[in-house]
Amino acid sequence: MKVKEKGHTLIITCNEGSLVEFIEKVEQQYESSFKQANLVIDLTNTSFVVEEEDIEQFESLAVQHMEEANKSFIIVIESIDFNEFDGDLIIAPSLQEAHDLIEMDEIQRDLGF
């Protein structure tokens, strides 16, 4: 796992051998390292195939992060149709689009929505 900070956002890149290992590491470090920032989970350069069911493993952490921390949680992956997911998971096809979504979320929070 590689973590890069960009403003109020942490970009967490997966470089583990499996998505399960990656999710476990993110969950282990969540309280101490990730809770206070907007999170972008970057799955664009994984060495394994990521299926829709795999992405849904992030759902509980995403909901917790958005409700309790009141921060954005966006998963970046190119190979999945992001329209297939309900409102609990936010999927973006690129890092730029993820940053744009976070910027819109920040504006909404500043306006009190």
Side-chain angles (χ1 to χ4, degrees):
M1 170 171 55
K2 201 164 68 170
V3 180
K4 178 181 171 187
E5 187 173 355
K6 184 175 181 182
H8 300 289
T9 302
L10 294 177
I11 303 164
I12 305 171
T13 305
C14 177
N15 59 4
E16 280 72 22
S18 74
L19 192 61
V20 173
E21 291 175 33
F22 176 65
I23 292 170
E24 287 174 0
K25 284 185 179 181
V26 171
E27 289 175 343
Q28 288 170 357
Q29 295 182 22
Y30 176 75
E31 287 292 327
S32 62
S33 302
F34 305 144
K35 188 174 184 175
Q36 299 305 318
N38 296 305
L39 296 180
V40 174
I41 305 296
D42 185 4
L43 301 176
T44 55
N45 293 318
T46 58
S47 60
F48 48 87
V49 176
V50 179
E51 301 290 335
E52 187 175 318
E53 304 84 44
D54 299 328
I55 299 292
E56 291 173 352
Q57 294 179 42
F58 283 105
E59 189 167 354
S60 63
L61 183 60
V63 170
Q64 174 187 351
H65 189 68
M66 290 185 285
E67 290 178 356
E68 294 177 11
N70 197 27
K71 297 288 185 180
S72 301
F73 187 100
I74 300 173
I75 299 170
V76 177
I77 185 162
E78 300 166 336
S79 60
I80 294 216
D81 182 9
F82 59 93
N83 292 316
E84 295 295 320
F85 293 92
D86 60 15
D88 290 338
L89 288 174
I90 300 170
I91 311 294
S94 69
L95 283 173
Q96 181 59 50
E97 188 163 334
H99 288 295
D100 292 345
L101 290 168
I102 289 171
E103 189 174 316
M104 290 187 325
D105 285 348
E106 291 283 328
I107 290 169
Q108 286 181 334
R109 285 191 284 271
D110 288 345
L111 294 174
F113 292 105

